Amino acid sequence: MSSAITKESFPVLEMTCAACAISVESILKSVPGVENAGVNFANQSAWVEYDHTVTVDTLQGAVRSIGYDLVIDKDNQEEVKEEAQRRHYRAVKQRTIWSSVLSLPIVIIGMFFMNMPYGNWIMMTLATPVVFFFGRSFFVNAWKQARHRKANMDTLVALSTGIAWLFSAFNTIYPEFWHQRGLHPHVYFEAAAVVIAFISLGKLLEEKAKSNTSSAIKKLIGLQPKTVLLIDAAGHVQEVPIASVKVNDLLLVKPGEKIPVDGSVAGGESYVDESMITGEPVPVIKKQGDHVFAGTINQKGSFRFRAEKVGADTLLSQIIKMVQEAQGSKAPVQKLVDKIAGIFVPVVIGIAILTFISWMLFGGDNAFTHALLTSVTVLVIACPCALGLATPTAIMVGVGKGAENNILIKDAESLELAHQTNAVILDKTGTITEGKPVVTDITWAQQGTDHATHLSVLYSLERQSEHPLAEAVTEHLTQQGVKPVTLQGFESLTGLGVAGALHHQSYYIGNKKLMQQHGIAIDPQLAALADKWQEEAKTVIYFAGGQQLLAVIAIADKIKETSRQAIAALQKDGIEVYMLTGDNAHTAAAVARAVGIRSYKAEVLPSDKAAFVKELQQKGKVVAMVGDGINDSHALAQADVSIAMGKGSDIAMDVAKMTLITSDLNSIPKALKLSRKTVSAIRQNLFWAFIYNVIGIPVAAGVLFPVNGFLLDPMIAGAAMALSSVSVVSNSLRLKAAAL
C-alpha cells in the first residue's frame, strides 16, 4: 500500500440486513481509485482505502445511488450516526406498531370470519397500507438493488408480500375467475400484512439488541468531557467547547473533574485516578512536568496543565478508535459468511421459481394455488440476516467485553485466532518485571545507629549522578523524606561510581571494584549478603565513608506480583510459556526461576526474538508474543497473536493486535478465554443460522406435503424468519455476562 493511500472509516445509514452491507461494500470497491473497502452490518460502518483521485463526496454519491448513505461530516460523525439510528429506531417502532394494529383484524377475519360479507374487501383495505405504506422501504430498496442487478433481503420481502397481495387482490376483485374453474378463491392478505408486521418486529428487536453491543464504545466516549476551562494569555479562565482546544493551550482542572485532553502539568499538584487507562485503583500523584491523560479523573487538588495531544490524538481517542476498528473488522470466518450471504438471495429466488414450476407440474387440482403459496413462503422464510449477523455481533460483544477487562482488541482475526494459542512468548523487562529499577534492600554495616547524615550524603551524591540506577536510589530516599545536604566536592568515576566530600570526609558510592581501589574492606557477612542478592538477579551498590563500608544497597527490576500467577494459569491450560530477554544469562535464570518458566533465552537481539517466533511456528505452534518495547515490535509482527503492554512504547502498541491497558499479566489468560467464548458463540450462531435455513426452506417449499399434507403458512414463516435474527443477536449478548 503506497503512502498516497488514505484509509478512513464512515458510518453507513439505511442498511437493513447483511446483504445490504455486501451491496455497499461492492459499490465502494467499484469506485475508480478505491483500493479496498469493507462494510460491517452489525456496527453500521464502512472503512475505505482510496487514493488522491477520490473524494469523500464521490464515495457518498456512490453509496447514495443504491439507496444508502455515508456520513462524511468528520466533526460530528458519531452524533449524526446516533441521531440517524435513533430516527431509524423510532421509524421502525412506529412501523411495527401500526402494521401490527392493522394486521390484527386481518388475522381475526382471515382465520375466524372467512365467509363474512365483504370480508375480503375489508382485509384488502387494511392490508394495502401495511404492505405499501408501512412496508414501502422493502419495495424501494428492492428496486434500488435491482437497478444494480443485485438482490438482498428486501428483495425477498418485496417479492413475497407483493405477490401475495397481488394474488389476493385479484381473487377479491375477480373471484369468478376461480369459480368458473370450480375452485374457491383464497386470499392471503393476512400473510402479506403479518409478514411485514413480523419482519418489522424482528427489525425492532434487532435494532435494540445492536445498540446494546456498542455500549462499550459509548462508555469510552462518555469519559470525554464536553467543555474545558481555558486560561487565556491575560490569566482569565473561560469555559470553552473541547473541540476548540489547541496544542499548547493552558487548561485548568478542578477537583472531581475529568481531564479533557492529554498534556503535562504546568502548575499545582493533585492525585489523579488513572484506572481507566492502567486498571490500577490507587490514584497517582501528579506534579509539575508529569503527564496526564484525557478521560482520567482529578481527585482533590486543582492544577494547570499544558495541552499536548488534542482531538483524535489523545490516548482515549486512540483507545476508542482501536475498539471501533476492532468491532468493525471481520473475522476470517465472516468473509466466508459474506460470500454465502451474497449468493444466498439469488439462490433463494431460484428455489422459489423451481418450487413454483414443480407445483405447477405435479401439484394436481390446486397446483397454481399451492405453487403460488409455497413459492411465496420460500421467499418469506429465507433470510440472510441470521447468517450475516452471526459473526459480527459476537465479535462486537467480545471486543466490548475485552475493553471492559482492560484488553483492547484491534482486529477480529486476533480475537478468533487467540483461542488456538499453544505457545506464549514473554519479554522480561516491562512485561514480567515492572520495567523500572527500584531499591529493594539497604543493609547497614552498623545496625541500630542513626544514619540520618549518611542518608543525606547518599541522597546528595546520587542526585548528581547520571547513572540510570542512581534514579532508583534518589526516588527511594525521596519517598522516605530524606533531605539533601551541600557537598564540598563531587566527582563522577566512569565505570566505578561517584565520590564526594562533606566536612573533610570522603564518601564513595559504586561497585566492588571502587571499594577495592580505595582499600575499603567488605565485612564477610555483607559480602555473603551481596552474593545472595546477585543470585536473585539484583544489582549491588556499595556505600562507604572514609575507609569504612557503611552499607550495601540492592537494586532490582521487581517482578510484578501477578506474573507468577498468570504464568501458572497459562501452563495449567497446556500452553508452553517462554521468556526472551536481552539481559544477561544470570539475571534471566533468576527471573525465570522466580516465576516458574522452564524455557528461556538470554542476551537475545530483536531479530533473534522474531526468529524464535518463526522457529516455533515452523513446529506447528500458534504463537502469542507479549512485549512492551520497540525491540519487541519485530517479534510482535511475526507472531500469530501479538499482545502489547499498554505502558510500553507506541510502536509496540501500533504493531500488536491486542493491547493490555494494565500491567497485570492475568489479562493474557483472560484474553485467551475471551477468544474461546467468542468463537464458541460464533459457531453456535452459524450452526443455528444454517440449520434454520436448511430445514426452513425445504419445509416452506412443501417437501412434507406428499408425506402428511403439511404446507407452511407464509405468516408462520415470517415469524420464524424474524426470530432467527433475534436469536443470533441474543446468543451473542450472552457473552456480556460471561466470567473471564
Side-chain angles (χ1 to χ4, degrees):
M1 201 168 75
S2 76
S3 57
I5 299 296
T6 304
K7 181 178 178 180
E8 279 193 84
S9 292
F10 307 94
V12 183
L13 310 181
E14 316 298 336
M15 287 197 299
T16 55
C17 76
C20 299
I22 308 285
S23 301
V24 176
E25 189 171 306
S26 58
I27 198 78
L28 284 169
K29 284 179 177 175
S30 71
V31 174
V34 170
E35 293 280 311
N36 202 1
V39 178
N40 186 285
F41 171 51
N43 73 353
Q44 306 277 297
S45 69
W47 59 265
V48 192
E49 289 174 356
Y50 58 93
D51 62 28
H52 67 282
T53 62
V54 181
T55 66
V56 288
D57 293 318
T58 311
L59 298 173
Q60 188 184 52
V63 173
R64 282 179 172 174
S65 74
I66 56 165
Y68 308 102
D69 200 0
L70 209 63
V71 181
I72 58 174
D73 180 3
K74 278 189 186 175
D75 292 335
N76 53 356
Q77 262 188 0
E78 282 305 314
E79 288 86 341
V80 171
K81 181 180 168 182
E82 281 189 23
E83 179 51 40
Q85 283 174 337
R86 277 195 295 270
R87 204 166 52 241
H88 181 59
Y89 180 74
R90 283 197 299 269
V92 173
K93 190 176 180 181
Q94 207 170 26
R95 194 166 77 203
T96 305
I97 292 167
W98 279 106
S99 55
S100 302
V101 167
L102 292 173
S103 298
L104 188 62
I106 301 173
V107 172
I108 292 168
I109 294 169
M111 295 182 84
F112 304 109
F113 304 101
M114 287 172 284
N115 300 317
M116 70 178 280
Y118 305 107
N120 287 0
W121 287 96
I122 294 167
M123 286 193 287
M124 188 168 84
T125 306
L126 292 171
T128 303
V130 173
V131 175
F132 297 109
F133 182 72
F134 298 113
R136 69 188 182 281
S137 62
F138 298 114
F139 293 90
V140 171
N141 292 335
W143 169 245
K144 284 175 179 172
Q145 293 291 318
R147 275 172 52 208
H148 290 271
R149 295 179 185 170
K150 290 187 175 68
N152 68 356
M153 186 201 124
D154 295 325
T155 313
L156 293 182
V157 177
L159 279 171
S160 58
T161 57
I163 289 167
W165 186 90
L166 284 170
F167 179 57
S168 303
F170 177 84
N171 291 357
T172 301
I173 299 166
Y174 302 109
E176 60 275 7
F177 176 85
W178 298 102
H179 291 148
Q180 287 164 8
R181 288 160 179 77
L183 291 171
H184 181 70
H186 288 282
V187 294
Y188 299 100
F189 289 120
E190 82 276 9
V194 173
V195 162
I196 298 285
F198 268 127
I199 290 173
S200 298
L201 176 63
K203 290 278 171 210
L204 186 70
L205 296 172
E206 204 178 280
E207 289 296 322
K208 188 80 177 162
K210 277 197 303 192
S211 69
N212 287 341
T213 61
S214 59
S215 58
I217 294 280
K218 285 175 184 166
K219 280 180 195 169
L220 286 169
I221 290 170
L223 292 171
Q224 295 174 307
K226 298 282 182 281
T227 60
V228 300
L229 295 173
L230 178 72
I231 303 169
D232 61 22
H236 301 127
V237 178
Q238 53 183 327
E239 192 170 329
V240 297
I242 193 164
S244 65
V245 176
K246 299 181 197 68
V247 174
N248 285 328
D249 278 353
L250 191 61
L251 307 173
L252 175 68
V253 182
K254 290 181 176 176
E257 289 184 343
K258 285 175 184 166
I259 292 165
V261 295
D262 293 3
S264 56
V265 178
E269 62 178 60
S270 177
Y271 282 91
V272 174
D273 177 0
E274 292 188 334
S275 57
M276 59 78 59
I277 288 174
T278 63
E280 309 297 335
V282 181
V284 183
I285 190 160
K286 297 290 179 181
K287 301 189 291 268
Q288 190 157 348
D290 288 346
H291 289 288
V292 290
F293 302 99
T296 56
I297 301 164
N298 182 28
Q299 299 279 288
K300 292 177 180 171
S302 291
F303 63 87
R304 300 181 306 284
F305 76 101
R306 189 76 60 186
E308 290 175 345
K309 288 182 180 176
V310 299
D313 294 328
T314 66
L315 180 62
L316 180 61
S317 294
Q318 293 297 320
I319 289 170
I320 292 167
K321 188 182 173 194
M322 214 185 283
V323 174
Q324 283 174 325
E325 282 182 0
Q327 289 193 331
S329 63
K330 289 177 187 170
V333 69
Q334 177 64 16
K335 287 163 190 168
L336 170 68
V337 173
D338 283 349
K339 281 179 186 169
I340 294 166
I343 60 167
F344 186 85
V345 176
V347 166
V348 168
I349 292 169
I351 292 171
I353 292 166
L354 196 63
T355 300
F356 186 87
I357 293 166
S358 301
W359 275 98
M360 288 300 290
L361 292 173
F362 310 110
D365 295 340
N366 294 320
F368 180 72
T369 304
H370 285 158
L372 190 70
L373 258 186
T374 50
S375 54
V376 166
T377 309
V378 166
L379 292 171
V380 169
I381 201 166
C383 173
C385 282
L387 283 175
L389 284 169
T391 305
T393 50
I395 291 289
M396 282 181 74
V397 179
V399 168
K401 181 83 177 170
E404 285 170 21
N405 286 275
N406 297 316
I407 305 159
L408 293 182
I409 299 156
K410 266 196 194 175
D411 73 352
E413 191 169 352
S414 60
L415 182 60
E416 192 190 326
L417 198 59
H419 79 288
Q420 297 175 22
T421 299
N422 51 21
V424 172
I425 300 172
L426 302 172
D427 170 51
K428 179 184 78 72
T429 309
T431 302
I432 294 173
T433 66
E434 298 281 3
K436 188 180 178 187
V438 292
V439 173
T440 59
D441 309 270
I442 296 181
T443 301
W444 296 92
Q446 293 180 341
Q447 302 291 332
T449 55
D450 183 20
H451 296 290
T453 305
H454 293 149
L455 282 169
S456 293
V457 172
L458 179 62
Y459 184 41
S460 305
L461 282 167
E462 291 289 56
R463 260 180 63 176
Q464 294 180 63
S465 172
E466 292 175 1
H467 195 280
L469 294 178
E471 196 180 322
V473 178
T474 53
E475 201 166 302
H476 177 76
L477 297 178
T478 302
Q479 287 170 359
Q480 291 194 342
V482 176
K483 300 288 183 239
V485 290
T486 306
L487 299 172
Q488 272 108 40
F490 175 82
E491 188 184 359
S492 181
L493 308 165
T494 307
L496 297 168
V498 294
L502 180 70
H503 306 313
H504 310 295
Q505 170 91 324
S506 295
Y507 290 93
Y508 305 97
I509 302 167
N511 55 22
K512 199 172 186 179
K513 199 173 175 185
L514 179 64
M515 299 299 112
Q516 288 166 345
Q517 270 192 12
H518 290 275
I520 297 162
I522 299 171
D523 179 88
Q525 275 185 309
L526 291 182
L529 183 62
D531 290 342
K532 178 177 168 284
W533 284 344
Q534 281 171 331
E535 281 296 316
E536 293 167 2
K538 294 177 181 178
T539 303
V540 179
I541 294 173
Y542 298 87
F543 176 38
Q547 293 302 301
Q548 275 191 316
L549 182 66
L550 299 173
V552 282
I553 303 159
I555 296 175
D557 182 4
K558 272 175 74 177
I559 293 168
K560 293 173 190 170
E561 289 175 18
T562 53
S563 291
R564 187 178 180 88
Q565 184 188 347
I567 289 160
L570 290 169
Q571 289 168 337
K572 190 180 171 189
D573 287 341
I575 296 166
E576 294 173 14
V577 182
Y578 301 85
M579 183 184 81
L580 300 183
T581 178
D583 215 333
N584 63 68
H586 192 76
T587 303
V591 171
R593 196 166 51 245
V595 295
I597 291 177
R598 292 177 286 277
S599 307
Y600 64 89
K601 281 194 170 191
E603 296 174 10
V604 291
L605 298 169
S607 55
D608 297 334
K609 290 184 179 183
F612 185 66
V613 172
K614 200 179 260 185
E615 189 185 315
L616 290 177
Q617 287 169 329
Q618 283 165 353
K619 290 178 184 173
K621 303 281 185 193
V622 177
V623 183
M625 171 72 198
V626 187
D628 75 323
I630 294 168
N631 63 327
D632 300 317
S633 57
H634 189 179
L636 287 167
Q638 177 66 42
D640 300 296
V641 178
S642 46
I643 304 172
M645 305 303 291
K647 289 186 175 179
S649 74
D650 289 347
I651 293 175
M653 285 190 273
D654 283 347
V655 171
K657 296 295 172 67
M658 291 188 185
T659 300
L660 308 180
I661 46 174
T662 169
S663 58
D664 187 350
L665 282 190
N666 279 316
S667 293
I668 298 169
K670 277 186 184 178
L672 303 187
K673 190 175 181 184
L674 176 65
S675 171
R676 278 196 296 276
K677 287 184 178 292
T678 305
V679 169
S680 172
I682 290 170
R683 285 175 179 161
Q684 289 162 8
N685 288 349
L686 288 174
F687 172 79
W688 289 114
F690 275 113
I691 287 296
Y692 163 80
N693 283 299
V694 165
I695 294 171
I697 291 173
V699 169
V703 293
L704 295 178
F705 188 77
V707 181
N708 57 11
F710 177 77
L711 277 181
L712 189 67
D713 192 302
M715 186 170 71
I716 305 299
M721 188 273 284
L723 285 169
S724 70
S725 293
V726 175
S727 64
V728 161
V729 176
S730 303
N731 187 49
S732 296
L733 286 170
R734 286 192 313 115
L735 267 175
K736 280 187 139 187
L740 292 184

